[in-house]
């Protein structure tokens, strides 16, 4: 089986060669969109694949694996989607209705009692730290892959991730009745 990098390189001269990437990564990318913009996930996934295909010549292996590049494309598609909304994506962080999923974080966590605290703590994190934390917890990316997605060095990502986890642990306190999936804390 060809690696993602080989498939992407071959797709430069053979358009059909791009198809295995779609098969391999659509589920993960759809999950990324579904957790952040549930009502628009299908459309956003289609847009991400269109942009990835159109921009396949811009992939730089030195910046990370193809998977991270694809999540970077998805992140840009999502940002464009939020910019196109009537209200900014940060409106949900303040409790207003929006397509940004932060108002629904408490429905996705198993501990309803601490969900408001987690939501508030996530909202207070700098956007890059929050995105790193969620890329690792929700999308199962490695810190190096998440760094490539947000466009920062891996070492910087690790230190920002540590800061985000530390803030979340401090907010929850030592006796938090919570077991988070995806290793948030």
């Amino acid at each position: 089986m060809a690696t993602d990098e080989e498939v992407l390189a071959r797709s430069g001269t053979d358009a059909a060669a791009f198809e295995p990437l779609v098969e391999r990564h659509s589920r993960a990318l759809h999950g990324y969109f579904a957790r952040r913009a549930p009502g628009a996930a299908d459309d956003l996934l289609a847009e991400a694949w269109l942009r990835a295909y159109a921009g396949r010549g811009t992939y730089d292996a030195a910046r990370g694996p193809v998977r991270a590049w694809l999540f970077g494309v998805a992140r840009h598609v999502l940002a464009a989607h939020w910019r196109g909304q009537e209200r900014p994506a940060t409106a949900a962080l303040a409790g207003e209705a929006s397509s940004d999923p932060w108002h629904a974080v408490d429905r996705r966590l198993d501990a309803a009692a601490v969900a408001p605290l987690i939501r508030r703590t996530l909202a207070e994190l700098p956007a890059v730290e929050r995105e790193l934390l969620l890329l690792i917890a929700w999308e199962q990316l490695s810190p190096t892959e998440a760094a490539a997605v947000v466009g920062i060095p891996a070492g910087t990502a690790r230190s920002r991730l540590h800061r985000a986890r530390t803030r979340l642990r401090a907010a929850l306190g030592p006796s938090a009745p919570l077991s988070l999936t995806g290793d948030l804390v």
Side-chain angles (χ1 to χ4, degrees):
M1 183 190 305
T3 67
D4 288 346
E5 288 74 15
E6 292 166 343
V7 169
L8 190 59
R10 207 170 42 247
S11 75
T13 57
D14 177 11
F18 193 79
E19 189 175 337
L21 289 178
V22 176
E23 292 171 4
R24 291 176 191 171
H25 300 286
S26 283
R27 183 175 177 173
L29 292 174
H30 189 273
Y32 174 84
F33 290 126
R35 286 184 283 277
R36 289 162 173 79
D42 293 341
D43 292 338
L44 294 173
L45 178 63
E47 178 65 22
W49 283 121
L50 287 171
R51 287 194 190 180
Y53 181 78
R56 66 193 185 279
T58 66
Y59 170 70
D60 179 7
R63 295 189 64 205
V66 170
R67 182 172 188 247
W69 175 75
L70 290 171
F71 272 98
V73 171
R75 182 173 184 248
H76 288 289
V77 167
L78 185 63
H81 169 74
W82 281 340
R83 279 191 305 273
Q85 296 298 306
E86 190 172 312
R87 292 192 281 190
T90 55
L93 295 175
E96 300 174 32
S98 168
S99 63
D100 186 344
W102 297 114
H103 67 284
V105 169
D106 55 325
R107 288 184 285 129
R108 293 186 180 106
L109 296 174
D110 292 332
V114 295
L117 177 59
I118 291 172
R119 187 174 56 246
R120 187 172 47 254
T121 303
L122 286 171
E124 292 170 356
L125 290 174
V128 172
E129 288 180 17
R130 182 176 52 245
E131 186 67 12
L132 285 168
L133 191 67
L134 296 178
L135 283 168
I136 291 165
W138 282 352
E139 312 313 331
Q140 303 298 304
L141 268 63
S142 71
T144 301
E145 290 171 328
V149 170
V150 299
I152 60 175
T156 302
R158 283 189 292 278
S159 66
R160 289 184 180 184
L161 180 61
H162 176 74
R163 265 197 309 260
R165 285 176 170 161
T166 299
R167 286 181 69 179
L168 193 53
R169 278 188 205 108
L172 292 174
S175 61
L178 180 64
S179 174
L180 294 171
T181 60
D183 191 31
L184 279 178
V185 292

